[in-house]
Amino acid sequence: MGAVRRVLVIVCSLAVTAQAVVLCLATGGRSFTRFASKELAAMNREHGLESLFDGAGGAVVQDLPTVQGEFTFGWLPAGGGLENLSVVSVAGPAVLVSLLAAWPCRRRSLN
Amino acid sequence: MIPKEKTLQTRTNWIARTLAVTTVCVAGTGALAQDKKSTAPPSEVEPAAKLPATAPLPEGSKVGLPVPAELAKKGSVYHCIPGKDRQVFFQSDAPFEKIEGQSNAVIGYTIAGPKENPAALQAGEWHLPVASMTTGIRKRDEHMRADNWLGAEKNPNIIFVLREVQSVQPVGNKTVGADTLKDSTKAYVGTLVGDLTVHGVTKSIEVPEATIMFVKGNDDTAKIAPGDLMAIRAKFHVKLSEFGVKNEVVGRKVAEELSIDTALYHSTQEPSATAGVAKTK
């Protein structure tokens, strides 16, 4: 492989890897990929019941924790289908390509 | 000057490498597509996956659990309000991140205590459909419902039957509490005692420091839910092995103990339809 092509392959692979990592961090940096869930979004929407009991009778109770239903590009694949996309599954092949391109290739002596 | 043969050999090596990488990528993409395809025909997937990925109740669902007549005589009946705010949040430790999930599909009822101490609940029963529990990750939900976990097909509900509430105490300090009790809201703390059924196994449990709140219905509250309202907030832990949930993952990759946080909202308004769940008593 020519030196220029080799450098291009490495640069492109690193760009893919860097973008995958940035996307992961920008969407929360969670371990596993998840896609926006309509069911979770509907559950997490304010229906007003919780607020009716805020401070009821002087009781101080914390709100029920929430499972976030937004898209998260995770470090690891979460399972089948689209949830297989992750930093590891996207950047992995890119890193592999760049390693192959960077692999020192000795030229045999002509003698 | 490199001879033609040598150049050809170098190119062949490069092409072979490129092909190898491409094959790996294509195989990966193929696996993705195959996985997607395999979820399409329901007849080809394993039984647990036949259940819908999530089955939350649609907003405004009016389903409930039938109240046995002998219990209804004991006091005011409060019916659980499903399909609105989330009612159950559960959490378990796993190696890379905590597994979290929730549901808003709990149905059930409770019978309030006497007027002077309504939080001394006379009875209660709640059903949490396993298929409604969602973590936001489809594959994880399928695993959770599989036979070696909660076994949703054989045991579709997690059931709690309340026997009594012990150590009931009004909330708030004495001066504030006295005024508060005159208000349209009341709150108490007590220990719920009852039987929890998970994975078909029933165990007696105690849930200390449960908060039981009452709100008298008025025009403002009626906009959100009709009737007098009641909420039970409770936190407790469930040891999976005690309920027969045993597999190679429990206790190693996933913590054996499940932390559960509940907020069950009730109304005296009777739901218009029952969910057809068989009475346990």
Side-chain angles (χ1 to χ4, degrees), chain A residues 1 5-6 30-35 37 39-40 42-53 55-68 76 78-85 93 96-97 100 103 105 107-108 110, chain B residues 1-3 6 9-10 14 17 21 25 32 35 54 56 59 81 84-89 96-97 100-104 134-140 171 180 185-187 211 213 215 221 224-225 229-231 233 235 261-263 265:
Chain A
M1 196 190 293
R5 266 187 283 178
R6 197 177 281 232
R30 296 191 68 158
S31 302
F32 296 101
T33 296
R34 63 177 66 206
F35 283 83
S37 161
E39 289 82 15
L40 284 176
M43 264 188 243
N44 293 340
R45 195 146 36 87
E46 195 61 53
H47 291 91
L49 280 171
E50 200 164 24
S51 63
L52 281 182
F53 290 91
V60 180
V61 284
Q62 289 178 334
D63 287 351
L64 205 66
T66 306
V67 179
Q68 295 304 321
L76 300 165
L82 289 173
E83 286 168 352
N84 230 339
L85 296 168
L96 189 67
V97 169
L100 286 173
W103 197 264
C105 193
R107 290 188 176 180
R108 282 183 202 153
L110 295 177
Chain B
M1 186 80 181
I2 302 167
K6 191 69 204 164
Q9 193 186 343
T10 313
W14 182 82
R17 280 184 208 160
V21 171
C25 294
L32 274 175
D35 195 287
T54 53
E59 197 177 327
I81 307 171
K84 287 196 169 184
D85 292 50
R86 58 203 181 280
Q87 299 163 302
V88 175
F89 174 88
F96 296 111
E97 70 172 11
E100 295 174 340
Q102 61 188 37
S103 169
N104 70 343
T134 177
T135 62
I137 295 175
R138 194 173 52 87
K139 201 76 182 171
R140 190 180 277 172
V171 171
T180 306
T185 65
K186 293 173 186 175
T211 306
M213 295 169 281
V215 171
T221 61
I224 297 166
L229 305 172
M230 195 256 285
R233 286 295 315 270
K235 282 183 188 180
D261 200 341
T262 62
Y265 302 102

Side-chain angles (χ1 to χ4, degrees), chain B residues 135-156:
Chain B
T135 62
I137 295 175
R138 194 173 52 87
K139 201 76 182 171
R140 190 180 277 172
D141 292 346
E142 284 174 11
H143 286 156
M144 192 170 59
R145 284 184 238 126
D147 282 345
N148 60 345
W149 279 92
L150 296 177
E153 212 164 9
K154 286 180 189 162
N155 307 291

Side-chain angles (χ1 to χ4, degrees), chain A residues 7-25:
Chain A
V7 169
L8 271 176
V9 168
I10 293 170
V11 168
C12 290
S13 303
L14 289 178
V16 169
T17 307
Q19 287 175 75
V21 171
V22 168
L23 180 61
C24 173
L25 295 175

Side-chain angles (χ1 to χ4, degrees), chain B residues 57-127:
Chain B
L57 288 169
E59 197 177 327
S61 293
K62 292 186 173 176
V63 291
L65 200 63
V67 184
E70 67 273 17
L71 291 180
K73 289 176 194 164
K74 288 186 174 179
S76 301
V77 179
Y78 285 84
H79 304 271
C80 201
I81 307 171
K84 287 196 169 184
D85 292 50
R86 58 203 181 280
Q87 299 163 302
V88 175
F89 174 88
F90 57 92
Q91 195 176 57
S92 175
D93 279 328
F96 296 111
E97 70 172 11
K98 283 185 175 172
I99 296 172
E100 295 174 340
Q102 61 188 37
S103 169
N104 70 343
V106 177
I107 57 168
Y109 62 85
T110 185
I111 315 292
K115 274 187 180 174
E116 64 276 11
N117 190 10
L121 306 175
Q122 301 296 297
E125 182 171 335
W126 296 272
H127 289 219

